[in-house]
């Protein structure tokens, strides 16, 4: 029997802003007490709706491509890791280059730190800390068959369009199945006259 293939899924429409993921992430031994997940407001002017932001683990990570010190590595199974302390020169190239705004510079440590999908856990089949405590299922770690059975009206997408650049990721975003999207066009949503809150509802309403 083949080994189950576990994947990471994000469903922002399920986020209730409880901060459980942030607290759990800060307890990870490799982060030294700092949370690598960000909980952001979708559009605070219109709504209190929040959405979790984790590293999407790009197939071709821009952060690693612009790093002059070769400090950012990707594991054979596709997890883009935090910058390596001995090599990171705190230049902020990765922070500026990431299309998802994920890497953050720890000025005190002079080190870029970001979500590495709890590699110490996921590499041995355990769920990331954030997904293990999320009460609403906004962060989900499991097989494709499990997520499709539990959420038949949604489908996972892992391609994001930024202008003419298409970025494929290891992490999947859940969107309504009726929309039949091949990718999420990020820039079009940003420049649409519709409010950010309305765009969020159109993308994730079930």
């Amino acid at each position: 029997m083949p080994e189950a293939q576990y994947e990471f899924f994000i469903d922002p429409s399920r986020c209730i802003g409880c901060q459980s993921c942030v607290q759990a992430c800060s307890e990870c031994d490799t982060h030294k007490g700092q949370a690598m997940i960000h909980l952001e407001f979708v559009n605070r002017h219109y709504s209190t709706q929040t959405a979790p932001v984790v590293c999407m683990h790009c197939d071709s990570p821009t952060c690693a491509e612009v790093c002059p010190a070769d400090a950012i590595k990707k594991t054979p199974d596709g997890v883009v890791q935090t910058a390596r302390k001995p090599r990171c020169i705190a230049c902020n190239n990765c922070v500026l280059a990431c299309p998802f705004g994920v890497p953050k510079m720890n000025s005190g440590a002079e080190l870029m730190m970001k979500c590495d999908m709890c590699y110490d856990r996921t590499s041995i089949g355990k769920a990331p800390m954030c997904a293990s405590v999320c009460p609403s299922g906004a962060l989900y770690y499991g097989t494709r068959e499990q997520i499709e059975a539990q959420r038949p009206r949604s489908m996972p997408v892992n391609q994001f369009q930024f202008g003419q650049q298409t970025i494929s990721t290891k992490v999947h975003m859940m969107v309504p199945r009726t929309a039949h999207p091949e990718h999420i066009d990020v820039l079009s949503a940003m420049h649409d006259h519709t409010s950010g809150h309305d765009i969020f509802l159109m993308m994730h309403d079930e």
Side-chain angles (χ1 to χ4, degrees):
M1 183 176 181
E3 185 178 348
Q5 296 295 314
Y6 291 98
E7 298 179 85
F8 200 3
F9 303 90
I10 303 175
D11 191 341
S13 66
R14 288 174 171 259
C15 182
I16 59 175
C18 67
Q19 301 268 349
S20 294
C21 56
V22 177
Q23 296 303 316
C25 185
S26 66
E27 294 179 10
C28 180
D29 292 337
T30 60
H31 298 159
K32 304 185 187 304
Q34 297 191 37
M36 295 294 102
I37 189 171
H38 316 303
L39 197 66
E40 306 288 355
F41 287 104
V42 175
N43 190 325
R44 189 64 182 88
H45 181 71
Y46 293 95
S47 171
T48 57
Q49 177 66 53
T50 53
V53 179
V54 300
C55 181
M56 299 300 288
H57 299 282
C58 302
D59 291 345
S60 297
T62 306
C63 58
E65 292 171 355
V66 301
C67 179
D70 195 26
I72 303 171
K73 302 294 185 181
K74 188 173 78 167
T75 65
D77 51 352
V79 174
V80 183
Q81 298 186 317
T82 285
R84 298 185 178 184
K85 176 65 174 175
R87 301 189 67 93
C88 182
I89 59 175
C91 67
N92 273 300
N93 279 9
C94 56
V95 176
L96 297 172
C98 175
F100 298 101
V102 168
K104 302 298 180 185
M105 184 58 63
N106 184 325
S107 300
E110 297 187 337
L111 176 69
M112 183 280 280
M113 301 179 70
K114 70 167 193 65
C115 157
D116 59 5
M117 206 188 292
C118 288
Y119 195 64
D120 56 332
R121 293 174 58 87
T122 54
S123 61
I124 58 174
K126 293 184 178 180
M129 292 288 284
C130 58
S132 70
V133 300
C134 181
S136 63
L139 297 163
Y140 184 87
Y141 189 72
T143 66
R144 182 69 62 94
E145 292 74 23
Q146 288 172 334
I147 194 77
E148 289 180 347
Q150 294 180 28
R151 304 178 193 179
R153 297 174 62 188
S154 298
M155 63 178 290
V157 171
N158 71 330
Q159 288 194 325
F160 302 83
Q161 194 74 27
F162 291 85
Q164 302 199 2
Q165 183 182 15
T166 301
I167 296 179
S168 298
T169 62
K170 183 178 178 66
V171 178
H172 293 75
M173 185 81 70
M174 300 301 294
V175 298
R177 187 173 293 276
T178 53
H180 300 293
E182 294 182 0
H183 61 261
I184 295 176
D185 194 328
V186 179
L187 294 187
S188 292
M190 290 174 61
H191 292 98
D192 196 293
H193 292 298
T194 310
S195 75
H197 176 56
D198 291 337
I199 292 170
F200 179 84
L201 292 178
M202 287 190 295
M203 287 174 56
H204 301 292
D205 184 27
E206 291 189 17

